[in-house]
Amino acid sequence: MTAKDALTERYQDLLSVYLKAKTETTLYKGQQFSRKLLEQQISPEDLVSLHIQVMDELFPDMSEEMRDSFDFLLEAMIGYGFAYREHQSLRDKQQQLESEIEVAASMQQTLLLSDVPDFDELDIGVVSVPAKKMNGDYYNFVKSGSSLSVAVADIIGKGIPAALCMSMIKYAMDSLPEEQMKPHLLLENLNRVVEQNVHSNMFITMFHGVYEPESHKFFYAGAGHEPGFIYNAKEDRFHDLIAKGLVLGVSRTTTYHPYERVIEIGDMVILLSDGVTECRTSKGFIEREEIVSLIRKYMDLPAQQIVQNVFQELDRLQGFELRDDFTLIILKRMV
Amino acid sequence: MNLQINQNQINETHELHLTGEVDAYTAPKLKEVMLPLTEKDGSVVVVDLSGIDYMDSTGLGIFVGALKSSKANNSSLKLRGMTDRVKRIFEITGLTEVMDIESGVKGEAL
């Protein structure tokens, strides 16, 4: 017996039971049966035709008008049949697109994965979580000689366009010569690349810093990026890590200001994306002071545990529904 | 949340009064109205933001696009009446340095 025959038989059983007893239970069974029909991809007009076939068998003496009315119904169902098949094909296409995005997302992960380097002087913690499948935040660590360079960037917009743009940033950064490891010069170079290559509505915010272990100096510059924080252990206070500068991609001739400061033992450099400060909860936005107090709460832990705990608490405050990509990096000077 | 755009034109000056939120959902609507105005040689586009309580980076991108367009087309773009929250993101991104922004107090009084 084919699947279709089985369906016909089942339909005939249900219908004849219903016509005899007219119980609610059978009606409900009819409703459940319609799921089975969908599973078997039976189209609306197929169902009407099935109904006609069954009625013919149950009532061989059916009046001619009744019989003809079914034929008419069958014709009237054709439009629904088209709609049904279109829905099927859209569903197939959507599944195909989703699996392509999955592939792209995992490619992006592989391409952009930046290992957190082992660095004797610094304890480093990183968390970077996309709101959707693809991450528009970017961070990057590079060990160059004895120094450590760290970048964090946020591409406006989300999803695939942002992710594609970010791949461009990665390759532009990789191809810059090493003597360009001065943050303000690196941003000037990148700005020219971005300005030439992005759509006029797009821009990128970036913070770039280099830690030099000999002098314990942190050199940095910013292109319109959400300010991070510096924790001063001696004062036991957090300060904003201000690095003023225009976002990348607006004006080709932009220059960036070089900043530097000495990092003492126990000090922390905290970098973030605006996903951290743009967290919206039922009570409004998370303020920067709240981020600071969360970091303070966990700051005796290793850096990786601090960032993870802060992320988990913010995620919980937002009802576990991340609206923007989220990146938080902590560098803590140990020795 | 929605974005409402009221338009007013006196000679070459186009005033846009925005109310609501400029985010990824409403940004295309703003772009559709604002960008063509900046493309007219000699036009002055004044955008009043006193009714905007939230703008995200996609919204900011529309203003960046409009700024570039006004430079390319010899028109001008002025913003006024920013609330503190909106002003903050223009300041952080450095756009206050390159855009023509009237002080909030004056804008709000209008």
Side-chain angles (χ1 to χ4, degrees), chain A residues 156-158 198-203 205 224-227 245-247 249-250 274 277-278 280 285 287-288, chain B residues 21 23-24 31 54-58 60-62 64-68 85 88-89 91-95 97-98:
Chain A
I156 75 146
K158 300 179 182 77
V198 299
H199 186 264
S200 65
N201 286 337
M202 282 193 85
F203 60 79
T205 74
H225 198 76
E226 173 78 30
L246 185 62
V247 292
V250 173
D274 68 4
T277 48
E278 287 287 296
R280 268 208 256 197
F285 291 92
E287 298 301 332
R288 286 170 64 85
Chain B
E21 294 188 353
D23 59 14
K31 185 181 170 189
Y54 175 71
M55 189 184 298
D56 74 358
S57 49
T58 312
L60 210 56
I62 302 300
V64 169
L67 175 75
K68 288 182 184 174
R85 180 135 219 133
R88 180 175 178 268
I89 71 166
E91 274 168 0
I92 286 176
T93 49
L95 289 169
E97 307 292 320
V98 292

Side-chain angles (χ1 to χ4, degrees), chain A residues 300-319:
Chain A
D300 296 329
L301 298 172
Q304 188 57 34
Q305 286 181 36
I306 306 176
V307 294
Q308 265 160 0
N309 284 330
V310 171
F311 169 67
Q312 275 159 16
E313 289 221 12
L314 288 175
D315 197 26
R316 188 173 51 78
L317 284 171
Q318 291 187 91

Side-chain angles (χ1 to χ4, degrees), chain B residues 3-110:
Chain B
L3 172 68
Q4 209 190 322
I5 306 174
N6 287 324
Q7 244 189 100
N8 202 349
Q9 187 186 353
I10 307 163
N11 300 325
E12 300 296 294
T13 305
H14 301 262
E15 271 194 29
L16 297 180
H17 193 104
L18 312 183
T19 319
E21 294 188 353
V22 189
D23 59 14
Y25 298 101
T26 60
K29 184 175 163 185
L30 177 61
K31 185 181 170 189
E32 208 174 285
V33 176
M34 187 162 63
L35 205 61
L37 299 178
T38 61
E39 284 165 356
K40 288 183 207 156
D41 193 325
S43 72
V44 180
V45 183
V46 181
V47 187
D48 189 310
L49 294 164
S50 53
I52 297 294
D53 41 33
Y54 175 71
M55 189 184 298
D56 74 358
S57 49
T58 312
L60 210 56
I62 302 300
F63 287 95
V64 169
L67 175 75
K68 288 182 184 174
S69 159
S70 71
K71 282 191 175 156
N73 294 292
N74 194 33
S75 63
S76 72
L77 177 70
K78 290 179 201 246
L79 308 182
R80 72 176 182 214
M82 286 184 193
T83 57
D84 287 346
R85 180 135 219 133
V86 170
K87 196 166 186 185
R88 180 175 178 268
I89 71 166
F90 275 88
E91 274 168 0
I92 286 176
T93 49
L95 289 169
T96 40
E97 307 292 320
V98 292
M99 284 190 154
D100 185 349
I101 298 173
E102 273 181 37
S103 74
V105 183
K106 198 179 165 192
E108 271 158 24
L110 283 168

Side-chain angles (χ1 to χ4, degrees), chain A residues 61-73:
Chain A
D61 308 327
M62 187 179 7
S63 78
E64 201 174 319
E65 285 90 346
M66 189 66 86
R67 179 73 185 72
D68 292 346
S69 83
F70 283 138
D71 285 339
F72 191 82
L73 177 62

